[in-house]
Amino acid sequence: MALLNDGNVRTPLSSQVREATHQIHDDLNRIVMSRGMFTDAAGYRDFVLMQYLFHRDMDPLYSRDDLARIVPDLAARNRFRQVSADMEDLGIGCPAPRMSVDIPDPSTALGWLYVAEGSKLGANILIRLVDKMGYGASFGARHLAPDPMGRGISWTAFRDAIDNARLDAERFIHGARESYARMKSFVPASQGKIRTAATSL
């Protein structure tokens, strides 16, 4: 069966990518939790820095007109401003700027965004964990707060948008895998030591 999501494939693209990336998604979750990022403030600071590095790379994608034609509220979904504020709240210095990811193909770019948007669902659990440390939607964990429309509605709208678009599923899945790998490359090897990104495009 062809993977081209052209209206003739019965399996929705969101289902295809979920099946194709479940292993790397589970591995990433396991690694993050094993680093103790939600057991104390020092661990959480590592998590926020990791999130900052990832969303800094993703930031340009949220302002692209070609992607906004597929996901109309795309710009409002960007969390880079919130995670930057969290960095300031926690007194974490911002790393030196570097070249952002360059993904001209829309299907691949939306695969990257699939990872960022999907992570908002899991943030529902994470914000409860950091609440015990005194962080929340107004201080230190702004980027974990739900979108104004709510987590479920926001995710459903994004999922429907990609399922109804004429996207190349192979490129989309490739983009999602690259996005997971990029996030994984920012997980600290040990507390306080963020690794250099290993993924290059």
Side-chain angles (χ1 to χ4, degrees):
M1 181 175 68
L3 282 176
L4 182 64
N5 190 43
D6 60 0
N8 296 319
V9 177
R10 293 184 179 180
T11 305
L13 178 55
S14 58
S15 298
Q16 294 181 46
V17 70
R18 184 174 64 249
E19 176 62 26
T21 61
H22 74 90
Q23 187 63 58
I24 189 171
H25 172 261
D26 290 348
D27 287 346
L28 177 60
N29 282 343
R30 187 181 66 255
I31 291 170
V32 167
M33 299 311 291
S34 73
R35 296 298 188 270
M37 293 185 176
F38 298 95
T39 59
D40 56 36
Y44 180 61
R45 284 165 56 89
D46 280 349
F47 176 77
V48 172
L49 177 55
M50 181 185 77
Q51 290 285 86
Y52 173 84
L53 293 170
F54 178 70
H55 287 287
R56 185 176 66 178
D57 282 352
M58 301 291 291
D59 184 42
L61 299 182
Y62 283 94
S63 60
R64 279 178 44 176
D65 291 339
D66 59 336
L67 305 184
R69 285 192 287 272
I70 298 170
V71 184
D73 64 343
L74 187 61
R77 293 171 172 272
N78 191 353
R79 286 181 289 168
F80 183 57
R81 179 177 59 82
Q82 288 89 335
V83 75
S84 297
D86 290 338
M87 292 276 284
E88 184 174 351
D89 290 342
L90 300 175
I92 305 172
C94 294
R98 67 171 197 170
M99 186 176 295
S100 298
V101 294
D102 181 21
I103 315 170
D105 173 66
S107 295
T108 305
L110 284 164
W112 277 73
L113 287 167
Y114 167 88
V115 175
E117 291 300 306
S119 69
K120 295 177 180 179
L121 295 175
N124 185 47
I125 296 173
L126 301 183
I127 200 167
R128 296 176 189 174
L129 295 176
V130 300
D131 177 69
K132 299 174 183 178
M133 303 180 206
Y135 306 127
S138 60
F139 182 86
R142 304 166 195 266
H143 76 286
L144 297 178
D147 287 338
M149 69 180 74
R151 297 186 196 276
I153 294 174
S154 177
W155 171 247
T156 298
F158 180 83
R159 184 194 62 201
D160 290 348
I162 62 173
D163 284 343
N164 291 321
R166 297 175 63 86
L167 300 174
D168 184 297
E170 289 184 347
R171 292 181 179 180
F172 187 97
I173 291 169
H174 177 70
R177 285 174 171 156
E178 285 185 324
S179 189
Y180 276 122
R182 176 61 63 100
M183 174 65 87
K184 188 176 180 180
S185 75
F186 292 135
V187 177
S190 60
Q191 195 173 89
K193 295 182 179 180
I194 297 289
R195 293 186 296 173
T196 302
T199 305
S200 59
L201 298 179

